[in-house]
């Protein structure tokens, strides 16, 4: 275990039935009727159109809340792990101390200024589902979501310290210590061996990790069925799925 750091992305959860973000059926290729995913998954959208935002988020993510961890999550459960995934499957697999650097589907926080430390609260998904007999009835579902997230249906404006916000790092937000960023940087700086699994390496945190790994002359492995060649000689590529690697 020592100084090996595993960094995982959506490819690891694909075998549990969660589509990857950039695949054909991925979250980032499916927007809402009026907005692209990059517009939807923003703090700005949450603040200005909370009903639309919560409906989109619920349809994309809450439907995966009962998905089970797969063999890769279980294999990683005793490893030093930094994941971009918000599905919580590494926690369900029993990893006690993994860092979910982009947040967790099963948690929310009160709306707060970025950078403040606030407690994580269990997300009210079950309450929403119990309250809505027909999850295809978007008007009703949106109303129930607004109530569950403590957002006034009159003003339609989330209120600081009152309204709830999904604990997920949105496109226009930045890494803070609520997402355990300082700890992640320590792990990255101290690792001597990096294994990137199921990630396109196009996300901020993977770029930081890769840059540090190269600077520190650490051993670097990339596990991906279709890895993007990073043009660096010392990287070991494993053209396979994470399940084949383990």
């Amino acid at each position: 275990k020592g100084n090996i750091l595993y960094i995982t992305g959506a490819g690891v959860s694909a075998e549990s039935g969660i589509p990857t973000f950039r695949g054909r059926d991925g979250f980032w290729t499916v927007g809402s009727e009026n907005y692209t995913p990059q517009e939807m998954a923003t703090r700005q959208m949450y603040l200005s159109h909370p009903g639309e935002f919560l409906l989109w988020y619920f349809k994309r993510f809450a439907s995966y809340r009962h998905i089970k961890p797969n063999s890769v999550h279980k294999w990683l459960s005793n490893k030093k792990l930094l994941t971009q995934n918000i599905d919580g499957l590494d926690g369900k697999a029993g990893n006690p101390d993994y860092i979910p650097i982009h947040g967790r589907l099963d948690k929310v926080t009160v709306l707060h200024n970025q950078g403040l430390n606030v407690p994580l609260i269990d997300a009210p998904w079950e309450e929403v589902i119990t309250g809505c007999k027909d999850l295809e009835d978007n008007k009703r579902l949106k109303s129930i979501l607004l109530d569950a997230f403590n957002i006034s249906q009159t003003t339609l404006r989330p209120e600081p310290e009152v309204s709830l916000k999904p604990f997920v790092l949105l496109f226009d937000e930045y890494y803070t210590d609520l997402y355990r960023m300082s700890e992640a940087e320590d792990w990255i700086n101290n690792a001597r061996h990096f294994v990137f699994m199921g990630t396109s390496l196009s996300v901020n945190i993977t770029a930081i990790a890769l840059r540090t790994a190269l600077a520190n002359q650490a051993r670097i492995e990339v596990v991906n069925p279709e890895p993007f060649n990073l043009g660096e000689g010392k990287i070991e590529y494993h053209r396979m799925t994470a399940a084949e690697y383990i």
Side-chain angles (χ1 to χ4, degrees):
K1 190 171 167 182
N3 276 344
I4 304 183
L5 179 58
Y6 293 83
I7 299 181
T8 61
V12 167
S13 292
E15 287 174 50
S16 287
I18 297 181
T20 60
F21 283 85
R22 292 169 177 79
R24 278 193 301 277
D25 53 353
F27 297 124
W28 297 154
T29 51
V30 184
S32 71
E33 284 174 26
N34 306 312
Y35 301 99
T36 67
Q38 280 80 355
E39 291 171 316
M40 284 306 299
T42 60
R43 188 180 183 92
Q44 184 53 45
M45 183 60 74
Y46 163 75
L47 294 173
S48 57
H49 297 83
E52 285 277 319
F53 172 90
L54 289 172
L55 187 63
W56 180 82
Y57 188 83
F58 178 85
K59 297 267 182 179
R60 293 295 166 280
F61 296 113
S63 51
Y64 297 115
R65 70 198 187 288
H66 291 321
I67 282 187
K68 301 280 188 284
N70 60 44
S71 59
V72 181
H73 298 113
K74 289 175 182 147
W75 184 81
L76 287 165
S77 66
N78 62 349
K79 313 278 193 293
K80 195 159 220 170
L81 173 64
L82 177 61
T83 187
Q84 302 161 47
N85 299 333
I86 63 166
D87 51 43
L89 292 177
D90 293 292
K92 286 182 184 175
N95 193 314
D97 193 36
Y98 77 105
I99 296 181
I101 197 73
H102 292 154
R104 277 174 51 179
L105 171 62
D106 59 346
K107 299 291 179 187
V108 296
T109 64
V110 293
L111 173 58
H112 62 285
N113 290 330
Q114 290 180 83
L116 295 178
N117 215 345
V118 295
L120 301 184
I121 305 161
D122 289 335
W125 302 129
E126 296 309 324
E127 175 191 324
V128 169
I129 285 154
T130 310
C132 194
K133 301 288 178 279
D134 177 10
L135 293 179
E136 296 307 308
D137 180 350
N138 285 351
K139 193 166 177 233
R140 174 98 184 105
L141 181 53
K142 197 185 281 190
S143 165
I144 289 169
L145 282 161
L146 288 165
D147 282 350
F149 280 77
N150 301 338
I151 297 168
S152 158
Q153 306 221 17
T154 316
T155 65
L156 293 178
R157 286 289 178 270
E159 290 174 66
E161 312 306 326
V162 175
S163 300
L164 301 178
K165 175 188 170 287
F167 176 53
V168 59
L169 192 74
L170 298 169
F171 277 118
D172 54 353
E173 295 183 318
Y174 50 86
Y175 294 117
T176 67
D177 281 345
L178 188 62
Y179 295 89
R180 295 170 63 190
M181 186 56 188
S182 296
E183 202 178 341
E185 287 175 324
D186 283 346
W187 284 16
I188 289 168
N189 289 328
N190 291 322
R192 288 292 163 263
H193 180 178
F194 290 75
V195 182
F196 294 91
M197 303 177 99
T199 169
S200 60
L201 296 171
S202 60
V203 179
N204 224 336
I205 193 72
T206 49
I208 294 168
L210 188 60
R211 225 176 21 244
T212 307
L214 289 166
N216 290 346
Q217 298 183 315
R219 183 179 170 195
I220 303 169
E221 296 183 73
V222 173
V223 181
N224 199 318
E226 297 168 13
F228 177 72
N229 192 316
L230 298 160
E232 296 281 350
K234 292 192 173 143
I235 296 174
E236 301 165 48
Y237 294 97
H238 304 277
R239 291 174 190 279
M240 58 183 72
T241 64
E244 289 167 328
Y245 174 82
I246 66 171

Tab-separated table of all heavy atoms in Angstrom, residues 3-51:
chain	number	residue	atom	x	y	z
A	3	ASN	N	3.344	3.987	-0.614
A	3	ASN	CA	3.229	5.266	-1.302
A	3	ASN	C	2.564	5.163	-2.665
A	3	ASN	O	2.841	5.949	-3.552
A	3	ASN	CB	4.621	5.894	-1.443
A	3	ASN	CG	4.988	6.642	-0.168
A	3	ASN	OD1	4.118	6.931	0.645
A	3	ASN	ND2	6.262	6.957	0.008
A	4	ILE	N	1.693	4.167	-2.827
A	4	ILE	CA	0.949	4.070	-4.096
A	4	ILE	C	-0.350	4.846	-3.942
A	4	ILE	O	-1.087	4.649	-2.974
A	4	ILE	CB	0.591	2.615	-4.473
A	4	ILE	CG1	1.834	1.737	-4.530
A	4	ILE	CG2	-0.124	2.578	-5.813
A	4	ILE	CD1	1.550	0.309	-4.966
A	5	LEU	N	-0.633	5.720	-4.891
A	5	LEU	CA	-1.895	6.462	-4.885
A	5	LEU	C	-2.699	6.062	-6.117
A	5	LEU	O	-2.196	6.120	-7.243
A	5	LEU	CB	-1.616	7.971	-4.892
A	5	LEU	CG	-2.842	8.880	-4.918
A	5	LEU	CD1	-3.751	8.626	-3.721
A	5	LEU	CD2	-2.413	10.349	-4.957
A	6	TYR	N	-3.925	5.610	-5.874
A	6	TYR	CA	-4.835	5.261	-6.968
A	6	TYR	C	-5.754	6.441	-7.206
A	6	TYR	O	-6.324	7.002	-6.260
A	6	TYR	CB	-5.654	4.013	-6.601
A	6	TYR	CG	-4.797	2.768	-6.507
A	6	TYR	CD1	-4.086	2.466	-5.338
A	6	TYR	CD2	-4.655	1.909	-7.600
A	6	TYR	CE1	-3.272	1.349	-5.260
A	6	TYR	CE2	-3.838	0.780	-7.528
A	6	TYR	CZ	-3.148	0.510	-6.352
A	6	TYR	OH	-2.343	-0.598	-6.286
A	7	ILE	N	-5.892	6.819	-8.480
A	7	ILE	CA	-6.765	7.943	-8.838
A	7	ILE	C	-7.775	7.424	-9.857
A	7	ILE	O	-7.385	6.935	-10.930
A	7	ILE	CB	-5.944	9.114	-9.407
A	7	ILE	CG1	-4.966	9.602	-8.330
A	7	ILE	CG2	-6.865	10.242	-9.867
A	7	ILE	CD1	-4.097	10.770	-8.736
A	8	THR	N	-9.052	7.470	-9.508
A	8	THR	CA	-10.060	6.839	-10.360
A	8	THR	C	-11.053	7.845	-10.920
A	8	THR	O	-11.318	8.895	-10.321
A	8	THR	CB	-10.840	5.745	-9.592
A	8	THR	OG1	-11.520	6.344	-8.480
A	8	THR	CG2	-9.917	4.652	-9.094
A	9	GLY	N	-11.606	7.469	-12.081
A	9	GLY	CA	-12.632	8.273	-12.727
A	9	GLY	C	-13.828	7.419	-13.094
A	9	GLY	O	-13.955	6.273	-12.647
A	10	ALA	N	-14.677	7.958	-13.949
A	10	ALA	CA	-15.978	7.345	-14.239
A	10	ALA	C	-15.874	5.941	-14.815
A	10	ALA	O	-16.785	5.129	-14.645
A	10	ALA	CB	-16.759	8.245	-15.196
A	11	GLY	N	-14.753	5.629	-15.487
A	11	GLY	CA	-14.608	4.299	-16.077
A	11	GLY	C	-14.704	3.181	-15.057
A	11	GLY	O	-15.144	2.075	-15.372
A	12	VAL	N	-14.325	3.476	-13.814
A	12	VAL	CA	-14.357	2.448	-12.761
A	12	VAL	C	-15.793	2.099	-12.371
A	12	VAL	O	-16.095	0.966	-12.015
A	12	VAL	CB	-13.536	2.933	-11.543
A	12	VAL	CG1	-13.782	2.074	-10.326
A	12	VAL	CG2	-12.052	2.929	-11.893
A	13	SER	N	-16.689	3.086	-12.454
A	13	SER	CA	-18.084	2.828	-12.078
A	13	SER	C	-18.947	2.388	-13.253
A	13	SER	O	-20.088	1.978	-13.065
A	13	SER	CB	-18.699	4.076	-11.442
A	13	SER	OG	-18.094	4.334	-10.190
A	14	ALA	N	-18.385	2.448	-14.464
A	14	ALA	CA	-19.173	2.083	-15.657
A	14	ALA	C	-19.690	0.656	-15.548
A	14	ALA	O	-20.823	0.363	-15.938
A	14	ALA	CB	-18.326	2.258	-16.913
A	15	GLU	N	-18.869	-0.240	-14.971
A	15	GLU	CA	-19.293	-1.644	-14.872
A	15	GLU	C	-20.404	-1.855	-13.844
A	15	GLU	O	-21.040	-2.895	-13.828
A	15	GLU	CB	-18.092	-2.532	-14.539
A	15	GLU	CG	-17.184	-2.685	-15.732
A	15	GLU	CD	-15.911	-3.437	-15.404
A	15	GLU	OE1	-16.014	-4.508	-14.802
A	15	GLU	OE2	-14.820	-2.929	-15.748
A	16	SER	N	-20.616	-0.841	-12.989
A	16	SER	CA	-21.754	-0.930	-12.066
A	16	SER	C	-23.026	-0.418	-12.738
A	16	SER	O	-24.099	-0.445	-12.153
A	16	SER	CB	-21.483	-0.103	-10.806
A	16	SER	OG	-20.521	-0.736	-9.995
A	17	GLY	N	-22.887	0.087	-13.963
A	17	GLY	CA	-24.061	0.569	-14.694
A	17	GLY	C	-24.215	2.077	-14.702
A	17	GLY	O	-25.255	2.597	-15.084
A	18	ILE	N	-23.195	2.804	-14.277
A	18	ILE	CA	-23.261	4.262	-14.309
A	18	ILE	C	-22.541	4.739	-15.561
A	18	ILE	O	-21.364	4.449	-15.738
A	18	ILE	CB	-22.608	4.866	-13.047
A	18	ILE	CG1	-23.403	4.419	-11.816
A	18	ILE	CG2	-22.555	6.386	-13.144
A	18	ILE	CD1	-22.877	4.958	-10.509
A	19	PRO	N	-23.238	5.461	-16.455
A	19	PRO	CA	-22.566	5.871	-17.694
A	19	PRO	C	-21.428	6.844	-17.413
A	19	PRO	O	-21.494	7.626	-16.464
A	19	PRO	CB	-23.671	6.554	-18.504
A	19	PRO	CG	-24.773	6.829	-17.562
A	19	PRO	CD	-24.625	5.909	-16.390
A	20	THR	N	-20.383	6.787	-18.225
A	20	THR	CA	-19.281	7.739	-18.041
A	20	THR	C	-19.744	9.106	-18.527
A	20	THR	O	-20.740	9.223	-19.230
A	20	THR	CB	-18.036	7.307	-18.839
A	20	THR	OG1	-18.407	7.250	-20.213
A	20	THR	CG2	-17.512	5.972	-18.386
A	21	PHE	N	-19.025	10.126	-18.143
A	21	PHE	CA	-19.469	11.489	-18.444
A	21	PHE	C	-19.371	11.836	-19.913
A	21	PHE	O	-20.196	12.538	-20.447
A	21	PHE	CB	-18.653	12.495	-17.631
A	21	PHE	CG	-19.125	12.534	-16.219
A	21	PHE	CD1	-18.646	11.636	-15.295
A	21	PHE	CD2	-20.087	13.434	-15.834
A	21	PHE	CE1	-19.107	11.641	-13.995
A	21	PHE	CE2	-20.560	13.447	-14.538
A	21	PHE	CZ	-20.065	12.557	-13.619
A	22	ARG	N	-18.327	11.327	-20.568
A	22	ARG	CA	-18.089	11.784	-21.933
A	22	ARG	C	-18.430	10.728	-22.979
A	22	ARG	O	-18.202	10.922	-24.155
A	22	ARG	CB	-16.629	12.257	-22.070
A	22	ARG	CG	-16.410	13.528	-21.263
A	22	ARG	CD	-14.959	13.916	-21.112
A	22	ARG	NE	-14.848	15.175	-20.379
A	22	ARG	CZ	-14.934	15.333	-19.074
A	22	ARG	NH1	-15.154	14.279	-18.321
A	22	ARG	NH2	-14.828	16.513	-18.511
A	23	GLY	N	-18.998	9.598	-22.542
A	23	GLY	CA	-19.439	8.576	-23.501
A	23	GLY	C	-20.711	9.031	-24.214
A	23	GLY	O	-21.274	10.069	-23.919
A	24	ARG	N	-21.204	8.195	-25.136
A	24	ARG	CA	-22.382	8.577	-25.936
A	24	ARG	C	-23.600	8.882	-25.076
A	24	ARG	O	-24.370	9.782	-25.365
A	24	ARG	CB	-22.735	7.453	-26.916
A	24	ARG	CG	-21.892	7.474	-28.186
A	24	ARG	CD	-22.495	6.557	-29.233
A	24	ARG	NE	-22.579	5.177	-28.734
A	24	ARG	CZ	-21.577	4.328	-28.768
A	24	ARG	NH1	-20.411	4.691	-29.244
A	24	ARG	NH2	-21.738	3.094	-28.317
A	25	ASP	N	-23.770	8.085	-24.001
A	25	ASP	CA	-24.947	8.298	-23.147
A	25	ASP	C	-24.554	9.059	-21.878
A	25	ASP	O	-25.248	9.032	-20.883
A	25	ASP	CB	-25.570	6.948	-22.763
A	25	ASP	CG	-24.539	5.998	-22.153
A	25	ASP	OD1	-23.339	6.359	-22.154
A	25	ASP	OD2	-24.919	4.914	-21.691
A	26	GLY	N	-23.400	9.699	-21.930
A	26	GLY	CA	-22.848	10.302	-20.711
A	26	GLY	C	-23.583	11.549	-20.271
A	26	GLY	O	-24.306	12.176	-21.039
A	27	PHE	N	-23.349	11.895	-19.017
A	27	PHE	CA	-24.020	13.052	-18.425
A	27	PHE	C	-23.701	14.342	-19.162
A	27	PHE	O	-24.522	15.221	-19.260
A	27	PHE	CB	-23.589	13.219	-16.964
A	27	PHE	CG	-23.996	12.063	-16.118
A	27	PHE	CD1	-23.059	11.354	-15.383
A	27	PHE	CD2	-25.312	11.662	-16.059
A	27	PHE	CE1	-23.428	10.286	-14.597
A	27	PHE	CE2	-25.694	10.594	-15.278
A	27	PHE	CZ	-24.753	9.904	-14.551
A	28	TRP	N	-22.470	14.455	-19.639
A	28	TRP	CA	-22.083	15.732	-20.258
A	28	TRP	C	-22.535	15.835	-21.705
A	28	TRP	O	-22.301	16.823	-22.359
A	28	TRP	CB	-20.577	15.948	-20.168
A	28	TRP	CG	-20.055	16.047	-18.768
A	28	TRP	CD1	-18.785	15.739	-18.363
A	28	TRP	CD2	-20.734	16.496	-17.587
A	28	TRP	NE1	-18.663	15.957	-17.013
A	28	TRP	CE2	-19.840	16.407	-16.512
A	28	TRP	CE3	-22.035	16.945	-17.329
A	28	TRP	CZ2	-20.176	16.763	-15.203
A	28	TRP	CZ3	-22.384	17.286	-16.022
A	28	TRP	CH2	-21.465	17.199	-14.984
A	29	THR	N	-23.173	14.765	-22.233
A	29	THR	CA	-23.714	14.887	-23.583
A	29	THR	C	-25.226	15.044	-23.544
A	29	THR	O	-25.851	15.283	-24.556
A	29	THR	CB	-23.360	13.646	-24.435
A	29	THR	OG1	-23.730	12.481	-23.706
A	29	THR	CG2	-21.883	13.586	-24.737
A	30	VAL	N	-25.814	14.909	-22.356
A	30	VAL	CA	-27.267	15.024	-22.245
A	30	VAL	C	-27.594	16.205	-21.333
A	30	VAL	O	-27.352	16.141	-20.134
A	30	VAL	CB	-27.882	13.737	-21.641
A	30	VAL	CG1	-29.401	13.847	-21.619
A	30	VAL	CG2	-27.443	12.516	-22.425
A	31	GLY	N	-28.119	17.265	-21.924
A	31	GLY	CA	-28.472	18.436	-21.117
A	31	GLY	C	-29.931	18.381	-20.725
A	31	GLY	O	-30.539	17.324	-20.644
A	32	SER	N	-30.523	19.539	-20.474
A	32	SER	CA	-31.961	19.615	-20.264
A	32	SER	C	-32.533	20.145	-21.571
A	32	SER	O	-31.824	20.297	-22.563
A	32	SER	CB	-32.276	20.568	-19.119
A	32	SER	OG	-32.024	21.894	-19.535
A	33	GLU	N	-33.836	20.465	-21.599
A	33	GLU	CA	-34.422	20.967	-22.839
A	33	GLU	C	-33.758	22.268	-23.282
A	33	GLU	O	-33.615	22.531	-24.466
A	33	GLU	CB	-35.923	21.189	-22.645
A	33	GLU	CG	-36.698	19.881	-22.657
A	33	GLU	CD	-38.170	20.075	-22.320
A	33	GLU	OE1	-38.676	21.181	-22.558
A	33	GLU	OE2	-38.784	19.129	-21.808
A	34	ASN	N	-33.364	23.093	-22.317
A	34	ASN	CA	-32.894	24.437	-22.669
A	34	ASN	C	-31.416	24.694	-22.448
A	34	ASN	O	-30.910	25.723	-22.864
A	34	ASN	CB	-33.673	25.482	-21.853
A	34	ASN	CG	-35.168	25.313	-22.030
A	34	ASN	OD1	-35.630	25.184	-23.151
A	34	ASN	ND2	-35.916	25.280	-20.945
A	35	TYR	N	-30.747	23.794	-21.744
A	35	TYR	CA	-29.365	24.094	-21.357
A	35	TYR	C	-28.450	22.910	-21.628
A	35	TYR	O	-28.869	21.763	-21.537
A	35	TYR	CB	-29.289	24.433	-19.859
A	35	TYR	CG	-30.141	25.603	-19.462
A	35	TYR	CD1	-31.391	25.406	-18.892
A	35	TYR	CD2	-29.695	26.907	-19.665
A	35	TYR	CE1	-32.187	26.486	-18.530
A	35	TYR	CE2	-30.475	27.988	-19.307
A	35	TYR	CZ	-31.728	27.778	-18.746
A	35	TYR	OH	-32.507	28.853	-18.393
A	36	THR	N	-27.192	23.206	-21.917
A	36	THR	CA	-26.203	22.132	-22.043
A	36	THR	C	-25.808	21.684	-20.636
A	36	THR	O	-26.014	22.421	-19.668
A	36	THR	CB	-24.927	22.646	-22.735
A	36	THR	OG1	-24.301	23.590	-21.856
A	36	THR	CG2	-25.225	23.305	-24.063
A	37	PRO	N	-25.215	20.489	-20.513
A	37	PRO	CA	-24.770	20.039	-19.191
A	37	PRO	C	-23.789	21.020	-18.554
A	37	PRO	O	-23.825	21.244	-17.351
A	37	PRO	CB	-24.104	18.706	-19.474
A	37	PRO	CG	-24.701	18.245	-20.741
A	37	PRO	CD	-25.000	19.474	-21.540
A	38	GLN	N	-22.900	21.605	-19.375
A	38	GLN	CA	-21.921	22.535	-18.792
A	38	GLN	C	-22.603	23.765	-18.215
A	38	GLN	O	-22.083	24.394	-17.308
A	38	GLN	CB	-20.884	22.958	-19.839
A	38	GLN	CG	-19.784	21.926	-20.054
A	38	GLN	CD	-20.192	20.777	-20.965
A	38	GLN	OE1	-21.340	20.687	-21.386
A	38	GLN	NE2	-19.267	19.889	-21.257
A	39	GLU	N	-23.772	24.122	-18.747
A	39	GLU	CA	-24.531	25.244	-18.167
A	39	GLU	C	-25.331	24.775	-16.951
A	39	GLU	O	-25.475	25.503	-15.981
A	39	GLU	CB	-25.491	25.822	-19.212
A	39	GLU	CG	-24.822	26.548	-20.350
A	39	GLU	CD	-25.811	26.911	-21.462
A	39	GLU	OE1	-26.647	26.075	-21.846
A	39	GLU	OE2	-25.746	28.046	-21.919
A	40	MET	N	-25.840	23.546	-17.017
A	40	MET	CA	-26.694	23.042	-15.932
A	40	MET	C	-25.901	22.823	-14.654
A	40	MET	O	-26.345	23.188	-13.572
A	40	MET	CB	-27.348	21.706	-16.327
A	40	MET	CG	-28.505	21.795	-17.287
A	40	MET	SD	-29.836	22.896	-16.781
A	40	MET	CE	-30.383	22.186	-15.255
A	41	ALA	N	-24.732	22.190	-14.770
A	41	ALA	CA	-24.000	21.758	-13.571
A	41	ALA	C	-23.129	22.892	-13.045
A	41	ALA	O	-21.920	22.755	-12.913
A	41	ALA	CB	-23.153	20.533	-13.892
A	42	THR	N	-23.776	24.032	-12.764
A	42	THR	CA	-23.041	25.193	-12.266
A	42	THR	C	-23.720	25.773	-11.039
A	42	THR	O	-24.928	25.634	-10.852
A	42	THR	CB	-22.958	26.310	-13.333
A	42	THR	OG1	-24.290	26.723	-13.672
A	42	THR	CG2	-22.230	25.849	-14.581
A	43	ARG	N	-22.928	26.415	-10.240
A	43	ARG	CA	-23.451	27.146	-9.071
A	43	ARG	C	-24.399	28.252	-9.547
A	43	ARG	O	-25.428	28.512	-8.932
A	43	ARG	CB	-22.262	27.737	-8.308
A	43	ARG	CG	-22.623	28.353	-6.969
A	43	ARG	CD	-21.363	28.923	-6.300
A	43	ARG	NE	-21.630	29.460	-4.981
A	43	ARG	CZ	-21.523	28.798	-3.844
A	43	ARG	NH1	-21.145	27.525	-3.856
A	43	ARG	NH2	-21.779	29.376	-2.686
A	44	GLN	N	-24.028	28.880	-10.669
A	44	GLN	CA	-24.853	29.948	-11.224
A	44	GLN	C	-26.270	29.452	-11.525
A	44	GLN	O	-27.257	30.113	-11.231
A	44	GLN	CB	-24.178	30.490	-12.497
A	44	GLN	CG	-24.883	31.672	-13.143
A	44	GLN	CD	-25.148	32.811	-12.169
A	44	GLN	OE1	-24.272	33.181	-11.398
A	44	GLN	NE2	-26.358	33.342	-12.166
A	45	MET	N	-26.359	28.263	-12.113
A	45	MET	CA	-27.677	27.694	-12.448
A	45	MET	C	-28.444	27.336	-11.177
A	45	MET	O	-29.651	27.577	-11.082
A	45	MET	CB	-27.492	26.449	-13.329
A	45	MET	CG	-28.791	25.824	-13.800
A	45	MET	SD	-29.844	26.903	-14.789
A	45	MET	CE	-28.960	26.945	-16.342
A	46	TYR	N	-27.756	26.769	-10.202
A	46	TYR	CA	-28.402	26.454	-8.920
A	46	TYR	C	-28.980	27.729	-8.293
A	46	TYR	O	-30.107	27.738	-7.783
A	46	TYR	CB	-27.391	25.786	-7.981
A	46	TYR	CG	-27.807	25.776	-6.524
A	46	TYR	CD1	-28.786	24.898	-6.063
A	46	TYR	CD2	-27.231	26.652	-5.612
A	46	TYR	CE1	-29.181	24.903	-4.726
A	46	TYR	CE2	-27.615	26.668	-4.282
A	46	TYR	CZ	-28.594	25.794	-3.846
A	46	TYR	OH	-28.975	25.803	-2.525
A	47	LEU	N	-28.224	28.827	-8.332
A	47	LEU	CA	-28.675	30.074	-7.702
A	47	LEU	C	-29.797	30.757	-8.482
A	47	LEU	O	-30.693	31.348	-7.893
A	47	LEU	CB	-27.490	31.054	-7.552
A	47	LEU	CG	-26.392	30.613	-6.581
A	47	LEU	CD1	-25.202	31.567	-6.635
A	47	LEU	CD2	-26.924	30.507	-5.146
A	48	SER	N	-29.746	30.662	-9.823
A	48	SER	CA	-30.721	31.419	-10.619
A	48	SER	C	-31.938	30.596	-11.039
A	48	SER	O	-33.026	31.127	-11.168
A	48	SER	CB	-30.042	32.015	-11.856
A	48	SER	OG	-29.447	31.000	-12.624
A	49	HIS	N	-31.756	29.293	-11.248
A	49	HIS	CA	-32.882	28.421	-11.656
A	49	HIS	C	-32.830	27.133	-10.830
A	49	HIS	O	-32.581	26.047	-11.371
A	49	HIS	CB	-32.781	28.066	-13.145
A	49	HIS	CG	-32.881	29.229	-14.063
A	49	HIS	ND1	-31.806	30.033	-14.360
A	49	HIS	CD2	-33.940	29.742	-14.753
A	49	HIS	CE1	-32.195	30.989	-15.203
A	49	HIS	NE2	-33.488	30.836	-15.456
A	50	PRO	N	-33.047	27.238	-9.513
A	50	PRO	CA	-32.843	26.053	-8.668
A	50	PRO	C	-33.751	24.883	-9.014
A	50	PRO	O	-33.339	23.723	-8.904
A	50	PRO	CB	-33.119	26.573	-7.250
A	50	PRO	CG	-33.936	27.800	-7.429
A	50	PRO	CD	-33.494	28.409	-8.730
A	51	GLY	N	-34.975	25.164	-9.464
A	51	GLY	CA	-35.888	24.070	-9.828
A	51	GLY	C	-35.350	23.261	-10.991
A	51	GLY	O	-35.292	22.035	-10.953
